[in-house]
Amino acid sequence: MTNGSLPNIGNVNTAEIDGLKIRYAQAGTKKGFPILLTAPWPESIYSFYHLAPLLALKHPILLVDLPGFGLSESRPDVMSPEQLGNFLIKLIAHFDLKRIHVVAPDVGTLAVLFAAVKTSELFESLVIGGAAMLPELSGGTLKDLIFSPPGFLSNAGSEGVRPYLENASKLTPAGIIEDFRAASAGARLEEATQFVRGYIKDCPKLEPLLSGIAIPALIVAGKNDSIVPPVNAKFLSDRLPNNVSRLLEAEHRVWEEAAVEYNKTVSFWIDGGYLATRKN
């Protein structure tokens, strides 16, 4: 990959789903359970430039910028954890997927968990983590955003994520950083922030439902994460009945900062490791 270019993560395209233009990429084999990967915030499907080619060797993969994240369109009525979970169910139906593994770090975790409550039959296993499970369990900038007033970032644009991107650029290639920057341009940062403001209402609703999610779950988080402290991984581990929890030597961007161990852990899980966790 040359400076300023984007890596090959599959065939990148857009689809209209529930009236929204959604960016996605597809790659991999034609056999086995498909793997859906949802992008973390404020990043994009290119966050998975390490992991996607590895998973595509054995599995069909679908990488998605969920509404309001990456370069997908947003709409107010989908920008909360429960509402995005409902959208995720529609997205899975749009691609005619019957049963999937899902890799959903960061904001994707909450949407996936809400979707799993309503349609557990869609999910063979979950790879989640790095999401604040209650507003008071968040830290740093994330906590500030959760409690920020609507409209607070209307004029911030990508400048609002400049410190995050400057730190990310120490490891992540320049072309991908520019894609991340575009994900927060204009009003997009404010639109995405509306999702985390939704934690105040939706997270307390999700907590009592977690014990009913019997899907095998791999929880992966950064041991040194100050934005979403490790207590959030323990929160999930204590409540999901069939899970394995792994804290890796990383801060928040565990998929990049601990890429080798992250890829190894996720690949082993999806290649069959999850079966040891599944209970009938």
Side-chain angles (χ1 to χ4, degrees):
M1 185 172 65
T2 60
N3 185 41
S5 68
L6 288 167
N8 181 11
I9 57 171
N11 181 29
V12 179
N13 210 329
T14 61
E16 184 174 312
I17 304 174
D18 193 28
L20 293 172
K21 187 176 180 181
I22 301 299
R23 184 173 70 164
Y24 68 94
Q26 288 181 302
T29 66
K30 296 187 180 297
K31 296 182 179 180
F33 292 116
I35 305 170
L36 172 65
L37 302 96
T38 69
W41 180 51
E43 303 191 10
S44 77
I45 51 176
Y46 286 97
S47 299
F48 299 113
Y49 77 104
H50 292 301
L51 181 61
L54 183 62
L55 295 180
L57 294 174
K58 298 181 181 180
H59 309 275
I61 65 169
L62 172 65
L63 302 88
V64 174
D65 284 337
L66 290 172
F69 302 110
L71 294 188
S72 289
E73 288 183 336
S74 179
R75 194 173 63 220
D77 68 337
V78 299
M79 294 308 293
S80 74
E82 184 172 17
Q83 292 167 339
L84 198 56
N86 293 335
F87 180 89
L88 185 63
I89 295 168
K90 295 177 183 179
L91 182 146
I92 293 169
H94 174 88
F95 287 101
D96 197 28
L97 305 178
K98 306 303 182 185
R99 192 167 176 88
I100 63 173
H101 296 285
V102 61
V103 178
D106 192 64
V107 290
T109 289
L110 291 162
V112 164
L113 289 171
F114 270 110
V117 167
K118 299 176 181 180
T119 56
S120 62
E121 68 277 6
L122 290 176
F123 301 101
E124 182 71 4
S125 82
L126 313 177
V127 180
I128 52 178
M133 300 311 301
L134 290 171
E136 58 267 29
L137 297 182
S138 63
T141 303
L142 176 58
K143 179 172 281 190
D144 294 339
L145 293 174
I146 290 171
F147 292 101
S148 66
F152 179 69
L153 294 168
S154 294
N155 299 315
S158 58
E159 185 65 16
V161 294
R162 181 169 55 84
Y164 182 98
L165 296 182
E166 287 179 347
N167 184 62
S169 68
K170 297 173 184 176
L171 293 174
T172 305
I176 296 178
I177 294 295
E178 287 309 305
D179 193 73
F180 294 172
R181 195 184 314 279
S184 294
R188 295 188 59 81
L189 181 59
E190 169 62 24
E191 292 169 351
T193 301
Q194 190 58 34
F195 178 85
V196 297
R197 294 185 187 118
Y199 288 14
I200 297 170
K201 177 182 176 183
D202 285 2
C203 286
K205 292 169 61 177
L206 180 61
E207 179 180 1
L209 303 175
L210 294 174
S211 62
I213 301 175
I215 305 161
L218 172 64
I219 303 160
V220 188
K223 189 180 295 184
N224 306 309
D225 192 343
S226 60
I227 299 172
V228 182
V231 65
N232 291 277
K234 186 176 188 305
F235 184 99
L236 283 172
S237 183
D238 287 347
R239 290 163 176 79
L240 292 172
N242 303 319
N243 78 84
V244 172
S245 184
R246 296 282 184 266
L247 291 179
L248 305 185
E249 287 292 343
E251 295 181 7
H252 182 65
R253 303 180 70 233
V254 63
W255 51 88
E256 178 75 286
E257 296 164 2
V260 172
E261 190 63 23
Y262 184 79
N263 293 351
K264 178 181 176 182
T265 300
V266 173
S267 297
F268 175 81
W269 173 265
I270 290 177
D271 285 346
Y274 74 96
L275 294 171
T277 308
R278 186 168 64 188
K279 298 177 182 178
N280 296 324

